[in-house]
Amino acid sequence: MPKIDKPRGEWTIHDIARELGVSAKTVSRVLNHKDGVGAELRERIQRLMAEVGYQPHLGARSLRTRISTCIGVTMPVGPESVPLSQHFVLWIIEQIYAAFGRLGEYVCLDLNPRAGVDAGDYSRGIWQHLFKACVIAGPLPVDDRILRRIHDSGTRYVVFSRLDSVPEANCAVVDYERAAYESTRFLIERGHRRIAMLRSFEGLNPGLERLRGYQRALKEAGIPFDERLIRSTGLSAESVIAGTHFLLAQEGVTALIDSSGMEDGESLREGAARAGKRLGREGIELVAWSYQKDMAVCTEASAHVWLPMRESAREGIMMLADRIYGRAEGPIRVVYPPVLQDYPIGQLLPTPKRFFYQE
Amino acid sequence: MPKIDKPRGEWTIHDIARELGVSAKTVSRVLNHKDGVGAELRERIQRLMAEVGYQPHLGARSLRTRISTCIGVTMPVGPESVPLSQHFVLWIIEQIYAAFGRLGEYVCLDLNPRAGVDAGDYSRGIWQHLFKACVIAGPLPVDDRILRRIHDSGTRYVVFSRLDSVPEANCAVVDYERAAYESTRFLIERGHRRIAMLRSFEGLNPGLERLRGYQRALKEAGIPFDERLIRSTGLSAESVIAGTHFLLAQEGVTALIDSSGMEDGESLREGAARAGKRLGREGIELVAWSYQKDMAVCTEASAHVWLPMRESAREGIMMLADRIYGRAEGPIRVVYPPVLQDYPIGQLLPTPKRFFYQE
DNA sequence: TTGAAAGCGCTAACAC
DNA sequence: GTGTTAGCGCTTTCAA
């Protein structure tokens, strides 16, 4: 029975030390599994710690060692500007659990970094010394200035977006530029000249990548760029319909790339109908993007582009874990190529479970 | 342009103070929105803070104030002893997000508190001064000694289980004792004397509650308790089948309560078949428990007992939020009654989406 | 309205 | 193998 009278869980290393007539540093050594303590003394200290339910104060530790505790999860953009569903967040958490769950880590979500008393930006968990590492889940605004600071700070992180201003960022992404390039080329090779593109992620880097790939393919083919052939969608089915309607109502448009990421074939169809057009080889030739392999957003599509986003994110998180635990070193750079799936028309594939959608 | 040369995000209040020729305390006052600082000085301090990207060190703050930062989420029992799916955890997180997300809180998951360097029990996040409040997600072992300490510590929490040793606990639960009592009475009133019960949560309080309710109903009716009529299931469909088989193979058994929580009608049917019995009014009369309203685990059942667990958990989390933000005071005690749904046999209701299952 | 000093619990650096 | 000292960044107490 300890002489010192303190409730379980309220002991400090000083209490432990005093109780046993040793120094706090010795207790600290035992706590941190460092050597320099005799076997028998170590044993006694451990026993007392267990008996009184000692747990270290993580704040004090982090203050001294400058090492924080949690694996952070944070999102650069709110749901108002990206069709990120809550399911996306939950999916990310599942992946993080797979990578860290068995190791007894704390996983700390900063779901709304711009609200509350300690409001800041999506990186506040790092500066507030809560996160020892960080998963930045979501696309980055093209004018983001925060990632530069995170990167230069040396904090371990992985981000699911590239950013022009930080080309060396630790990212895990799909190459959207290439996806747009290949989608456009595919249609050019089939004789199309006026190719419309339904786009999303305006103002965000993935949106910019789409535009670049599209423009590059046009340029190579000597087709002038017409900005009216690009239309951004918002969150809703209605906006996919409206965007498709707007694009396909234009003179001479014969093909459409759905790079909205909404995976919403029904709305594409409806938008085409409102423009008095039909999707399909005989009407508007369609290339639709999807986050799942061997899935058909729209059976009328001539090709689907599979964006292995889940796969790249999963690998990025695993690589982050490897770095945290010293199993690997160096930058993280996962860039998965898109896969253009050019199945015969009419082949029936299942519809993808949509990844982004409005709640 | 500040005179002090420090990277953004690495400033302390002392740096801010020195830069402006004031004391750290003054800066601290501004940081914490306390008065005692002139309007103009306050303004200058705030401007500099924004300029250098100042963020407080949460560990240092918590060390001094003994106030922690995160809303914790932790689970008393691992998936090995309870058919808790990862989806359950994700569902909880969704609820917590609904309650706290807009407020800019950090939500910290301790998914595997027994692993890792700072291994402890499910409450370690509290003792380590990481959690200012805590959602304890899952049933408690009957011999749990931890909740008592949490409760007495004054930490705000809500737990999704009752516990005999802490009757005053802040819980949000369904009254399983009553569910078992009403299920049993229902069958007694229909003339049954040998009523079998498929049970889960052995060793956990909800399991004990089931047993008590069952025994109370028998006792009132003067029917002796036969322990062979109770069988615990494990995680798998196979164990539901085996348990049902075991129970229904016994002499004279005419009724079954499925209180396993597995919502697995197919396995009940298969278990009955293996025992050479049929479920239904002409065979083995069944009362099946479900976590969803107006759902039929098994169309052969004479009644379904709806356990509004989702609803109670949601309310418990909301009440916790109310207490954290001072909108309400006092203990949390959400005890939802079960609802016995006694629909005519043959009425077709949808099958519930199972809540607990093996990954 | 503002500041100086002390100390929260821990561990790095250094001494013995 | 063990102890002493100092200090991480913050806020409380007390003083001016």
Side-chain angles (χ1 to χ4, degrees):
Chain A
M1 210 57 206
K3 285 171 301 215
I4 296 177
D5 180 35
K6 270 208 168 185
R8 269 179 74 89
E10 292 187 16
W11 287 58
T12 72
I13 49 171
H14 287 105
D15 298 322
I16 303 268
R18 197 148 41 86
E19 175 75 28
L20 260 35
V22 299
S23 83
K25 179 60 204 175
T26 302
V27 179
S28 169
R29 273 191 268 259
V30 173
L31 182 61
N32 295 287
H33 308 100
K34 300 219 170 130
D35 39 286
V37 184
E40 193 240 7
L41 180 54
R42 161 166 275 129
E43 174 83 11
R44 280 173 57 214
I45 292 173
Q46 282 169 336
R47 211 168 27 232
L48 182 59
M49 281 180 168
E51 191 185 345
V52 302
Y54 172 80
Q55 289 286 344
H57 188 303
L58 296 181
R61 176 181 282 175
S62 115
L63 183 55
R64 182 69 248 223
T65 60
R66 330 205 104 259
I67 296 171
S68 311
T69 308
C70 304
I71 312 288
V73 182
T74 186
M75 299 176 59
V77 289
E80 67 291 347
S81 57
V82 167
L84 272 178
S85 69
Q86 221 153 287
H87 282 79
F88 175 78
V89 178
L90 297 180
W91 181 84
I92 296 285
I93 294 170
E94 265 189 285
Q95 304 312 307
I96 291 177
Y97 187 40
F100 296 102
R102 305 202 174 274
L103 297 156
E105 294 283 2
Y106 290 106
V107 173
C108 192
L109 317 179
D110 188 6
L111 291 176
N112 193 2
R114 287 157 211 84
V117 178
D118 291 319
D121 57 54
Y122 68 84
S123 65
R124 66 173 182 168
I126 295 172
W127 315 124
Q128 294 179 353
H129 298 269
L130 200 52
F131 298 169
K132 67 173 166 192
C134 190
V135 175
I136 302 167
L140 292 164
V142 292
D143 59 356
D144 182 276
R145 312 255 122 232
I146 298 160
L147 188 67
R148 169 91 276 155
R149 280 168 52 208
I150 298 176
H151 187 88
D152 292 346
S153 75
T155 311
R156 285 184 225 273
Y157 73 93
V158 65
V159 58
F160 301 147
S161 174
R162 290 188 288 196
L163 187 66
D164 283 8
S165 60
V166 192
E168 73 276 35
N170 294 305
C171 63
V173 298
V174 172
D175 191 341
Y176 296 111
E177 200 273 358
R178 185 165 155 188
Y181 175 78
E182 292 187 359
S183 302
T184 312
R185 273 206 57 110
F186 175 86
L187 291 167
I188 290 171
E189 280 168 10
R190 293 166 87 92
H192 298 281
R193 302 278 300 175
R194 286 186 68 73
I195 300 165
M197 184 159 90
L198 203 61
R199 194 174 69 127
S200 63
F201 301 102
E202 181 149 33
L204 303 171
N205 216 70
L208 186 58
E209 292 174 32
R210 282 159 164 80
L211 192 59
R212 282 184 190 144
Y214 172 81
Q215 288 180 320
R216 180 158 64 91
L218 288 187
K219 194 171 181 186
E220 279 183 16
I223 302 171
F225 171 66
D226 180 351
E227 64 176 19
R228 286 170 308 158
L229 294 181
I230 307 279
R231 188 78 175 189
S232 278
T233 60
L235 292 159
S236 62
E238 199 48 58
S239 90
V240 172
I241 294 170
T244 309
H245 180 177
F246 172 87
L247 290 170
L248 300 190
Q250 290 181 55
E251 194 89 13
V253 171
T254 58
L256 175 68
I257 298 166
D258 169 33
S259 73
S260 69
M262 296 299 287
E263 301 178 276
D264 184 0
E266 199 50 62
S267 294
L268 295 176
R269 206 171 282 129
E270 171 66 19
R274 291 195 193 171
K277 301 284 169 60
R278 279 179 63 91
L279 297 176
R281 230 158 157 178
E282 312 304 316
I284 301 290
E285 187 147 27
L286 175 68
V287 174
W289 290 17
S290 170
Y291 297 105
Q292 276 179 277
K293 197 181 175 188
D294 298 330
M295 295 277 171
V297 168
C298 204
T299 47
E300 298 94 320
S302 298
H304 276 87
V305 174
W306 169 42
L307 311 164
M309 186 187 68
R310 287 177 171 84
E311 291 70 14
S312 71
R314 191 179 293 130
E315 184 170 338
I317 289 170
M318 291 299 171
M319 288 182 76
L320 179 64
D322 287 344
R323 274 144 193 82
I324 292 172
Y325 301 117
R327 296 188 295 255
E329 300 265 316
I332 295 171
R333 192 150 190 91
V334 180
V335 183
Y336 275 44
V339 178
L340 194 142
Q341 300 182 301
D342 169 14
Y343 295 119
I345 292 175
Q347 176 171 345
L348 281 177
L349 292 171
T351 306
K353 193 166 176 300
R354 287 174 55 193
F355 207 80
F356 298 113
Y357 64 100
Q358 204 172 15
E359 311 288 318
Chain B
M1 208 58 205
K3 286 171 297 210
I4 295 178
D5 179 35
K6 271 211 170 184
R8 267 179 76 89
E10 292 188 18
W11 286 59
T12 71
I13 50 171
H14 288 105
D15 298 322
I16 304 267
R18 199 147 41 87
E19 176 75 28
L20 261 35
V22 300
S23 82
K25 177 60 205 170
T26 304
V27 180
S28 169
R29 274 190 268 257
V30 173
L31 182 60
N32 295 288
H33 308 102
K34 300 214 171 135
D35 39 288
V37 184
E40 193 239 6
L41 180 54
R42 160 166 276 130
E43 174 82 13
R44 280 173 59 215
I45 291 174
Q46 281 168 337
R47 208 163 34 228
L48 182 58
M49 280 180 168
E51 191 184 344
V52 302
Y54 172 79
Q55 290 285 345
H57 189 303
L58 296 181
R61 176 180 282 174
S62 115
L63 183 56
R64 186 68 248 227
T65 60
R66 330 208 103 256
I67 296 170
S68 310
T69 308
C70 305
I71 311 288
V73 182
T74 186
M75 300 175 57
V77 289
E80 68 290 348
S81 56
V82 166
L84 272 178
S85 70
Q86 221 153 288
H87 282 78
F88 175 79
V89 178
L90 298 179
W91 181 84
I92 295 286
I93 294 170
E94 264 188 285
Q95 304 312 306
I96 291 177
Y97 187 40
F100 296 103
R102 304 201 174 275
L103 297 157
E105 295 283 2
Y106 290 104
V107 173
C108 192
L109 318 179
D110 188 5
L111 290 177
N112 194 1
R114 288 156 212 84
V117 178
D118 290 319
D121 56 55
Y122 68 83
S123 65
R124 66 173 182 169
I126 296 173
W127 316 124
Q128 295 179 354
H129 299 270
L130 200 53
F131 298 169
K132 67 174 166 192
C134 191
V135 175
I136 302 167
L140 293 165
V142 291
D143 58 356
D144 182 277
R145 313 253 121 234
I146 297 160
L147 188 67
R148 162 78 1 201
R149 279 169 52 207
I150 298 175
H151 187 88
D152 291 346
S153 76
T155 311
R156 286 184 225 273
Y157 72 94
V158 65
V159 58
F160 300 146
S161 174
R162 290 188 286 195
L163 186 66
D164 284 7
S165 60
V166 191
E168 73 275 36
N170 293 306
C171 63
V173 298
V174 172
D175 192 342
Y176 296 110
E177 201 271 359
R178 184 164 155 189
Y181 174 79
E182 292 187 359
S183 301
T184 311
R185 273 205 57 109
F186 175 85
L187 290 168
I188 290 171
E189 280 168 9
R190 292 168 88 92
H192 298 281
R193 301 278 299 176
R194 285 187 68 73
I195 300 164
M197 184 158 88
L198 201 62
R199 194 174 70 127
S200 63
F201 301 102
E202 180 149 35
L204 303 170
N205 215 70
L208 185 59
E209 292 174 31
R210 283 158 164 79
L211 192 60
R212 283 185 188 143
Y214 173 81
Q215 288 180 320
R216 181 157 65 90
L218 289 188
K219 194 169 180 186
E220 280 183 16
I223 301 172
F225 171 64
D226 179 351
E227 66 175 19
R228 287 169 309 158
L229 295 181
I230 307 280
R231 187 78 175 188
S232 278
T233 62
L235 293 159
S236 62
E238 199 48 58
S239 91
V240 172
I241 295 171
T244 309
H245 180 179
F246 172 88
L247 290 169
L248 301 190
Q250 289 181 56
E251 193 88 14
V253 170
T254 58
L256 174 69
I257 299 165
D258 170 33
S259 73
S260 69
M262 296 297 287
E263 301 177 277
D264 185 0
E266 200 49 62
S267 294
L268 295 176
R269 208 171 280 129
E270 171 65 20
R274 290 195 193 172
K277 303 283 168 61
R278 279 177 64 89
L279 297 176
R281 229 157 158 177
E282 311 304 317
I284 301 290
E285 188 147 27
L286 176 69
V287 174
W289 290 18
S290 169
Y291 296 106
Q292 275 179 278
K293 197 181 175 188
D294 298 331
M295 295 278 170
V297 167
C298 205
T299 48
E300 298 94 319
S302 299
H304 276 87
V305 174
W306 170 42
L307 311 163
M309 187 186 69
R310 286 177 172 84
E311 291 70 13
S312 70
R314 191 179 293 129
E315 184 171 337
I317 290 170
M318 291 300 172
M319 288 182 75
L320 178 65
D322 287 345
R323 275 143 192 83
I324 292 173
Y325 301 117
R327 295 189 294 256
E329 300 265 317
I332 296 171
R333 192 151 191 89
V334 180
V335 183
Y336 275 43
V339 179
L340 194 143
Q341 300 182 300
D342 170 14
Y343 295 120
I345 292 175
Q347 176 170 345
L348 280 177
L349 291 171
T351 305
K353 192 169 175 300
R354 287 175 55 194
F355 207 80
F356 297 114
Y357 64 100
Q358 205 173 14
E359 309 288 318

